[in-house]
Amino acid sequence: MHFDREKIKKQLLEFTIQAVEKFLKEHPELEFYAFAYDCNAEYAEVNLCLNTQDQFKKTLHQYQSNEFSDNYQTIEQINTLKFNTGDWKYQCFDTIYILDDPQLNDIYGELPEDDGQSWHEFVESLMLLFSESLLEFTQTDTYKAIPKTQDFIAYAIDHDEDFNDAITRMFSLTSHTFVDAPLKYAELNDKFKMYTSITPNDAD
């Protein structure tokens, strides 16, 4: 598998800065509780997503009022909805493919036939790269300019991945690699404990 990790990280970082700056100019009145890279790593796809507390409350009310309302009552169920980017108002406000189809075809063509182990390793390597790029984004003035709630969090998550797994990856990278970034080890550790535990205030 041959691709330039640093070049891809730089490309993704520059894309994120430009896209977020444009989005913030178009929505200056909003305050957000989360920013996410919603990824489909198999296809080298990264979607930028933001959401507000007001939009989350509207979505929660909608789900709690329909025929499947029993699935959105516990704090754990509510948190799952809260951090499911597919239910966000501002999901996929911009998208980038950091590898094109010929590059992906070459990479997948080189993988050995090992029951998908190499494929999973490649996908996870891209998720680590995306997460590293996101952590670098937290060091930028653009990230600092995002109007944030006190419990704001940023994370990279793959398609159909569990939120806790995404946060664990971010936590691991921060604790070992990016301890000097604004999203410091202690801060993300607190957020990790906050979002992987059940607290009655999470649904407020």
Side-chain angles (χ1 to χ4, degrees), residues 15-144:
F15 169 79
T16 303
I17 290 172
Q18 294 175 6
V20 171
E21 287 181 351
K22 180 176 182 291
F23 182 87
L24 293 180
K25 288 180 181 178
E26 294 172 350
H27 303 86
E29 75 285 359
L30 299 179
E31 181 182 68
F32 306 94
Y33 69 81
F35 172 77
Y37 282 169
D38 181 359
C39 309
N40 197 339
E42 178 181 4
Y43 300 103
E45 176 184 351
V46 180
N47 301 289
L48 308 188
C49 306
L50 283 159
N51 206 31
T52 67
Q53 288 283 8
D54 286 344
Q55 289 298 332
F56 163 64
K57 290 176 181 177
K58 291 178 181 178
T59 302
L60 178 61
H61 176 73
Q62 176 184 350
Y63 278 91
Q64 288 181 332
S65 302
N66 67 23
E67 58 183 312
F68 303 107
S69 60
D70 289 347
N71 297 326
Y72 302 95
Q73 299 301 320
T74 70
I75 296 301
E76 183 176 7
Q77 291 169 336
I78 291 170
N79 274 340
T80 297
L81 177 65
K82 185 174 185 178
F83 297 104
N84 177 21
T85 55
D87 287 296
W88 288 8
K89 170 69 173 179
Y90 307 103
Q91 61 167 307
C92 306
F93 65 83
D94 215 333
T95 299
I96 185 173
Y97 293 87
I98 54 89
L99 296 169
D100 59 28
D101 287 341
Q103 289 174 304
L104 284 173
N105 290 336
D106 288 344
I107 290 170
Y108 288 138
E110 295 176 0
L111 297 180
E113 296 183 4
D114 56 4
D115 296 325
Q117 179 179 346
S118 296
W119 177 86
H120 285 291
E121 290 174 354
F122 170 69
V123 169
E124 179 59 22
S125 73
L126 283 184
M127 285 307 303
L128 287 170
L129 186 154
F130 297 157
S131 298
E132 290 170 4
S133 184
L134 178 55
L135 287 171
E136 291 186 6
F137 176 60
T138 68
Q139 302 179 66
T140 66
D141 290 338
T142 303
Y143 174 83
K144 296 174 184 177

